[in-house]
């Protein structure tokens, strides 16, 4: 197989979003949708895998899930944060865990992307007061994450404020907490679109 035909490898590590919670089939989840979007943008076949856990915090990503990655992927995506918010973990803890997780990820892969927390603050399953509190915490967490990623020279993708154009009914799965199939696809498109400069380098160098 020629280098141009070699599949690119995508690994996602993180929380319930990485394993497609909320939809009936994992093939309708975030990681496969990212693989499809990546293939469309690069013109290369994509092999994907995910290491995720429902309820995972960045601390779990750091100590439990990243050590599961034994391959050297072309692109490694970290996706966690919402559970840290729900557990009311401090920004000091978040800073420490994200920084360490990025260092571990960079030791595994040259191209790392960090996705912000999702839009839990919109969830119909939560009361209005709690949604407002989570929005404030999410904004603070996103600002910290952006600064850490800039310092570490990794791509940061802000999904917290990404406008999918969907109504609440279209955005959420039946559990009113995880994204719908359509929402996963749009979020995946947004992630890949925001990571485009890195992906063009990926195609040229891989």
């Amino acid at each position: 197989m020629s280098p141009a035909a070699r599949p690119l490898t995508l690994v996602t590590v993180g929380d319930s979003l990485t394993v497609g919670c909320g939809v009936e089939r994992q093939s309708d989840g975030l990681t496969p949708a990212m693989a499809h979007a990546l293939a469309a943008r690069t013109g290369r076949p994509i092999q994907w895998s995910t290491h995720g856990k429902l309820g995972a915090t960045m601390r779990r990503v750091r100590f439990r899930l990243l050590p599961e990655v034994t391959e050297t992927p072309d692109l490694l995506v970290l996706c966690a944060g919402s559970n840290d918010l729900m557990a009311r973990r401090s920004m000091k803890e978040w800073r420490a865990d994200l920084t360490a997780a990025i260092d571990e990820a960079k030791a595994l892969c040259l191209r790392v992307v960090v996705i912000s927390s999702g839009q839990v603050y919109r969830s119909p399953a939560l009361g209005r007061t709690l949604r407002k509190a989570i929005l404030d915490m999410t904004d603070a967490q996103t600002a910290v994450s952006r600064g850490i990623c800039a310092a570490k020279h990794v791509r940061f993708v802000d999904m917290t404020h990404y406008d999918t154009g969907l109504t609440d009914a279209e955005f959420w799965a039946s559990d009113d907490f995880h994204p719908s199939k359509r929402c996963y696809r749009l979020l995946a498109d947004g992630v890949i679109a925001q990571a485009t400069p890195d992906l063009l380098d990926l195609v040229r160098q891989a």
Side-chain angles (χ1 to χ4, degrees), residues 56-97:
T57 61
M58 189 59 74
R59 187 171 183 81
R60 187 180 185 95
V61 168
R62 172 186 177 184
F63 287 110
R64 298 289 185 86
L65 299 177
L66 274 170
E68 294 179 0
V69 181
T70 57
E71 66 267 52
T72 302
D74 292 306
L75 181 65
L76 193 155
V77 178
L78 297 178
C79 176
S82 296
N83 294 305
D84 296 79
L85 296 172
M86 297 297 290
R88 299 296 184 99
R89 302 193 76 237
S90 69
M91 287 301 114
K92 180 179 179 181
E93 292 173 310
W94 173 255
R95 184 182 296 276
D97 288 332

Side-chain angles (χ1 to χ4, degrees), residues 116 119 121-122 157-165 171 183 185-191 193-194:
S116 74
Q119 299 182 18
Y121 60 87
R122 290 182 53 184
V157 176
D158 183 359
M159 288 289 101
T160 298
H161 305 100
Y162 183 70
D163 184 7
T164 62
F171 190 96
C183 185
R185 186 174 67 250
L186 292 173
L187 291 174
D189 290 344
V191 171
Q194 291 188 50

